[in-house]
Amino acid sequence: MSVIVIMKIPADTDTFRASLTERADDYRSLKEQAQAAGGIHHQYIVGDGFGVLLDEWESLEAFQAFFAQPAIQEFTAAVGGDTSVPAEVTVGVAVDSPDKY
């Protein structure tokens, strides 16, 4: 059963938005690594002074192992994430419902 991980991170959103273009190849490489490690779905959401990671993973352990890598933490900081502040993390299991789309 997969898990949904929602992580809110304080961020310099201008730096983050610029990195999406400037470091596009790095993001593509991370996508491949995450999928190989058990990532199923990934999306970013940007707000005022924060970013939200919306992911689906094969297991919580797979997500935790991937995100705990020093290279991932370094990348997060380099693209505007404030890794000095603990992220707000919410984890749950997706369920089907009649109104799902």
Side-chain angles (χ1 to χ4, degrees):
M1 181 178 312
S2 66
V3 295
I4 304 297
V5 180
I6 303 166
M7 182 169 18
K8 183 177 179 184
I9 304 169
D12 176 336
T13 57
D14 291 335
T15 298
F16 172 71
R17 286 178 186 272
S19 76
L20 295 171
T21 301
E22 296 166 358
R23 300 192 65 175
D25 288 340
D26 294 329
Y27 282 98
R28 288 184 194 98
S29 176
L30 288 173
K31 173 187 173 182
E32 292 173 6
Q33 294 172 43
Q35 288 177 313
I40 298 169
H41 173 81
H42 169 78
Q43 184 172 355
Y44 290 117
I45 302 162
V46 176
D48 185 18
F50 67 89
V52 174
L53 175 82
L54 175 60
D55 277 9
E56 181 177 5
W57 282 75
E58 291 176 1
S59 70
L60 178 58
E61 295 77 18
F63 169 79
Q64 290 171 328
F66 182 79
F67 199 79
Q69 296 176 77
I72 301 299
Q73 294 299 309
E74 291 167 11
F75 183 79
T76 300
V79 300
D82 184 353
T83 57
S84 70
V85 178
E88 294 177 33
V89 180
T90 303
V91 178
V93 177
V95 296
D96 285 327
S97 65
D99 60 345
K100 183 178 176 182
Y101 63 94

